Amino acid sequence: MPKYVMWGSYCEDVLEKRAPYRQVHLDGLAKQKESGVLITIGPTQDLTKVFGIYEAPDQDTVRQLVENDPYWKNGVWTEYTIKEWIQAF
């Protein structure tokens, strides 16, 4: 199954803005991880970017996962891109 890399950006004041949605966000990611579609995800140290790796049938599946996340729906993530990734090792 193809793998996809997602890069995104966080809003300003991310710590305050994410607080009301954080637990629902983390619970959703845990379910994605359990199902095998999410390989890994997390913020950069400076909390400006988010990086994730997904294993999914197609890019649209990943896009739906991102856009249904409460961080996207509530403006915590402000933009993102998805690229199919070829894992060499």
Side-chain angles (χ1 to χ4, degrees), residues 11 18 35 38 46 51 53-54 60 62 65 68 74-76 81:
C11 65
R18 77 177 183 183
S35 77
L38 179 64
D46 63 2
F51 171 80
I53 299 175
Y54 296 81
D60 286 339
V62 178
L65 291 170
N68 284 317
N74 293 285
V76 178
T81 59

Side-chain angles (χ1 to χ4, degrees), residues 1-40:
M1 189 169 315
K3 290 188 172 80
Y4 297 90
V5 171
M6 185 273 284
W7 270 108
S9 297
Y10 282 99
C11 65
E12 291 188 26
D13 302 320
V14 63
L15 294 176
E16 295 84 21
K17 188 149 187 181
R18 77 177 183 183
Y21 316 108
R22 190 157 193 257
Q23 193 58 55
V24 174
H25 165 73
L26 294 174
D27 291 346
L29 294 177
K31 288 178 185 173
Q32 291 175 26
K33 181 82 170 161
E34 281 178 30
S35 77
V37 71
L38 179 64
I39 306 299
T40 190

